[in-house]
Amino acid sequence: MSVAVGVIGAGVMGSEHARILREDINGANLVAVCDADEKRARAVVGQGEVFSDASALIHSDRVDAVLIAAPDAMHGDLVLKCIEAGKPVLCEKPLAATAAGAFRVVEAEVKAGKRFVQVGYMRRFDPPYEEMKRLLSDGHIGKPHLLHNIHRNAVAPDWFNGPMSVTNAFVHEIDVCRWLLGSEPVLADVRSIAGGDPLMITIETDKGEIVSTEVFMNCQYGYHVHAQLVGSKATVETVRPVLTRRNAEEQSITSYPINWIDRFREAYARQIKGWINMIATGAPNTGANAWDGYVTTKMAGDIVSAMNANKMAHLDVEARPAIYA
Ligand code: ISE
């Protein structure tokens, strides 16, 4: 059985997801793309149908499953429409622009008694991050003490604003902390240079681990994401995937990707492969669910509020509903 997928949003992420569905995934078929700009939709839809209305795509009999890559502020409502239509949905992070919007998704799944939603925290599918988790799980690192993160973009996207360093970018490190360590952030302190970029965010977890993250949205030299886990027996860190090393003019040079698409191309494809396999075979969902999406969005919002009040953020969430056990 081939899963017929409709993609909402044909921007930088939606067009890459559409390409992956067209070219890299056996068992899936890109049947529809919706974007406010019809030309952008037509450029990526392949043999599928172009929609100008997201609801029409979601409710189309041609569409079995929906991938949402629209602007962040639209995510929550579009996901709710997918749940109402009874269709599985992979939603790019964040799950919603606000904690309230994300919690409405959780409430809809609890009411339905069924999980429809996967959230696009693709680092869970990135081989370096997966290896880190495997080494930790197998006991090679010992008890985790510290996690150091670097999250640098070459130049912030033109739609970016200050709080998005947390709500759009740092949400990845919140999810990595929860997924890699199996811990819940309980305290966050944010410091920044004048102008707010870069930020340094220090989190303390419910197990006493300390997670430090630099978020720099305009580092100029390239897209650079790095993590180092410090444990009681060893440390382990991601190694930047490179294809070549150029030796010239007394230098040894490897290149940085220009954005997250190039750095995480394999992770995006593996994330979609796992999602399609789950839909087609009922295999367990190994990605981030709506509860994970709610927690990251709520914590990011709490951190932004604390930042604005020049305070530390005390992070807590409601009890996790049973359907997310
Ligand atoms: C972007 O939206 C992403 O999700 C990337 O993974 C992240 O590194 C970047 O900072 C975000 O703006």
Side-chain angles (χ1 to χ4, degrees):
M1 162 197 159
S2 180
V3 177
V5 180
V7 173
I8 300 175
V12 64
M13 281 312 315
S15 54
E16 175 62 7
H17 288 316
R19 183 200 64 76
I20 292 169
L21 286 162
R22 288 195 318 271
E23 299 175 6
D24 296 349
I25 311 285
N26 294 325
N29 186 19
L30 177 66
V31 296
V33 173
C34 174
D35 192 278
D37 179 339
E38 183 187 341
K39 278 175 58 180
R40 281 203 325 187
R42 198 159 300 287
V44 302
V45 73
Q47 302 305 309
E49 182 181 355
V50 170
F51 283 74
S52 57
D53 177 74
S55 293
L57 180 149
I58 292 168
H59 291 281
S60 166
D61 292 340
R62 292 191 62 190
V63 173
D64 299 325
V66 182
L67 195 157
I68 296 172
D72 295 3
M74 300 171 67
H75 290 185
D77 288 344
L78 289 171
V79 170
L80 286 173
K81 291 180 188 288
C82 293
I83 296 171
E84 286 158 16
K87 298 201 177 172
V89 50
L90 172 55
C91 179
E92 264 297 331
K93 38 60 63 183
L95 176 58
T98 65
F103 196 71
R104 280 193 287 273
V105 172
V106 168
E107 287 176 322
E109 288 197 322
V110 169
K111 183 179 178 185
K114 180 181 177 185
R115 286 163 40 180
F116 294 87
V117 181
Q118 181 169 332
V119 185
Y121 286 107
M122 79 296 175
R123 294 190 193 176
R124 295 177 178 221
F125 299 89
D126 180 56
Y129 277 94
E130 284 185 324
E131 171 105 330
M132 282 180 80
K133 185 170 176 67
R134 200 161 39 245
L135 288 168
L136 176 60
S137 304
D138 292 349
H140 295 292
I141 311 303
K143 175 177 170 40
H145 292 328
L146 310 173
L147 178 62
H148 302 293
N149 298 303
I150 287 173
H151 186 163
R152 296 176 180 153
N153 281 253
V155 178
D158 54 11
W159 39 265
F160 221 81
N161 61 42
M164 292 181 91
S165 291
V166 177
T167 62
N168 177 278
F170 180 62
V171 286
H172 281 294
E173 277 78 20
I174 298 174
D175 186 65
V176 163
C177 170
R178 300 184 66 246
W179 166 76
L180 179 66
L181 301 177
S183 303
E184 290 298 344
V186 294
L187 199 59
D189 184 36
V190 185
R191 295 281 183 270
S192 77
I193 66 159
D197 185 48
L199 294 178
M200 276 302 296
I201 305 173
T202 306
I203 279 179
E204 185 177 326
T205 76
D206 58 347
K207 297 180 187 164
E209 298 124 339
I210 298 175
V211 179
S212 73
T213 303
E214 171 205 325
V215 179
F216 192 2
M217 294 305 296
N218 293 280
C219 76
Q220 306 304 322
Y221 67 83
Y223 182 77
H224 185 188
V225 166
H226 180 76
Q228 182 185 67
L229 177 60
V230 179
S232 59
K233 289 168 63 177
T235 71
V236 60
E237 58 197 272
T238 58
V239 175
R240 181 166 49 87
V242 290
L243 296 176
T244 60
R245 179 182 301 278
R246 179 162 50 91
N247 301 308
E249 299 166 358
E250 299 171 8
Q251 295 185 64
S252 177
I253 302 162
T254 58
S255 61
Y256 281 91
I258 55 167
N259 65 20
W260 54 90
I261 299 282
D262 290 330
R263 163 63 183 81
F264 288 107
R265 195 175 298 280
E266 183 178 359
Y268 287 120
R270 298 175 80 234
Q271 175 179 245
I272 294 178
K273 282 191 182 96
W275 179 59
I276 294 297
N277 183 50
M278 175 202 62
I279 295 168
T281 69
N285 179 344
T286 57
N289 57 41
W291 181 254
D292 298 315
Y294 163 64
V295 170
T296 50
T297 300
K298 181 173 189 303
M299 290 185 174
D302 291 347
I303 289 169
V304 170
S305 299
M307 271 170 63
N308 294 339
N310 199 22
K311 292 179 179 175
M312 295 186 80
H314 294 271
L315 306 173
D316 59 7
V317 289
E318 300 80 353
R320 184 175 60 186
I323 67 166
Y324 300 107

